[in-house]
Amino acid sequence: MKRRTATMGAIAGIILLSGCAPGAADESEPSQSAGTAPSSESAPSAAPEGSADYLDELSSESLHEGVAPAAPGTAYIEVAGERFEFESLTCTLADEPDIGQFIAAANGETTGSGHSMYLSREIGTDIGFHFEDEYVQLALLVTEGGEDRMSNSMAQHEREQGTSPEWVRGSGTHPLIRVVGNEATAMGVLDGVPFAPDPAEAEFIAAATCP
């Protein structure tokens, strides 16, 4: 009997649902993880409830229409009328039978804000907690009561094979993250996690291109 492997990104996701972490930005490891915001014409639309038209593999045929890919080794997100660009990107990419994984951790926000962003798509019978787990997380470093805290917002869903996605937080297209080679784009709506002091809650588009 095959054993499913839960990744570090998925486990950390449970921890960060508290929505805050004291100290510097590097304390907000991926939990389960700003230009102009996307127009209403590009607003995300999920597949109809109960539809079987879901991608059961890691890679898509194309990136999201209207979302420009990031430059190699960088990432960005546009949300609530702001654009955050990240110069440091760490990626995990695997595409094997029963194990599909794309995880991008973006740091080094160009204004020195200390913000971070995470994109994670895992799919297969031998990885993650469900057949498919996806999330986009934006961790904003904010000051509250004189202390630095991470304010997290996410779009996150889980899905078993043959069923519809169950959104844990936020919403988005399916797949939420489109992976083509070493490039990925995402489109959806972020919601704040519990106790996040000042989360970004709005439509977003995001992209990451692994080195």
Side-chain angles (χ1 to χ4, degrees):
M1 178 177 181
K2 296 181 178 179
R3 295 188 59 186
R4 298 162 66 89
T5 303
T7 65
M8 182 176 297
I11 296 172
I14 298 175
I15 297 173
L16 264 190
L17 289 182
S18 62
C20 62
D26 59 5
E27 293 180 14
S28 83
E29 288 302 310
S31 75
Q32 279 270 34
S33 235
T36 59
S39 68
S40 59
E41 294 181 356
S42 62
S45 57
E49 186 69 24
S51 169
D53 297 331
Y54 298 117
L55 184 66
D56 283 347
E57 57 191 40
L58 177 69
S59 298
S60 301
E61 293 184 356
S62 62
L63 301 175
H64 285 88
E65 184 176 356
V67 182
T74 72
Y76 73 85
I77 186 170
E78 296 181 6
V79 59
E82 295 187 86
R83 179 182 173 100
F84 299 116
E85 299 182 348
F86 304 90
E87 297 178 317
S88 176
L89 191 65
T90 302
C91 294
T92 301
L93 181 60
D95 193 0
E96 304 172 6
D98 301 318
I99 300 176
Q101 183 181 58
F102 181 96
I103 298 176
N107 296 284
E109 203 276 320
T110 54
T111 66
S113 64
H115 304 332
S116 301
M117 181 180 73
Y118 307 96
L119 280 68
S120 177
R121 172 171 171 76
E122 295 183 320
I123 189 165
T125 56
D126 288 347
I127 192 169
F129 291 107
H130 307 88
F131 177 72
E132 179 182 55
D133 292 286
E134 288 191 290
Y135 69 83
V136 174
Q137 177 191 350
L138 177 60
L140 301 177
L141 181 63
V142 301
T143 301
E144 184 182 56
E147 296 183 355
D148 288 342
R149 299 182 61 189
M150 299 310 300
S151 184
N152 294 287
S153 53
M154 299 179 68
Q156 177 188 10
H157 83 79
E158 55 197 39
R159 182 176 70 91
E160 298 300 342
Q161 193 167 18
T163 66
S164 301
E166 182 175 332
W167 288 93
V168 179
R169 187 162 286 106
S171 60
T173 60
H174 190 275
L176 174 64
I177 300 168
R178 286 180 170 264
V179 178
V180 179
N182 66 335
E183 297 180 326
T185 57
M187 177 184 291
V189 178
L190 295 176
D191 275 350
V193 306
F195 310 113
D198 187 20
E201 298 183 308
E203 293 181 3
F204 74 91
I205 59 173
T209 299
C210 297

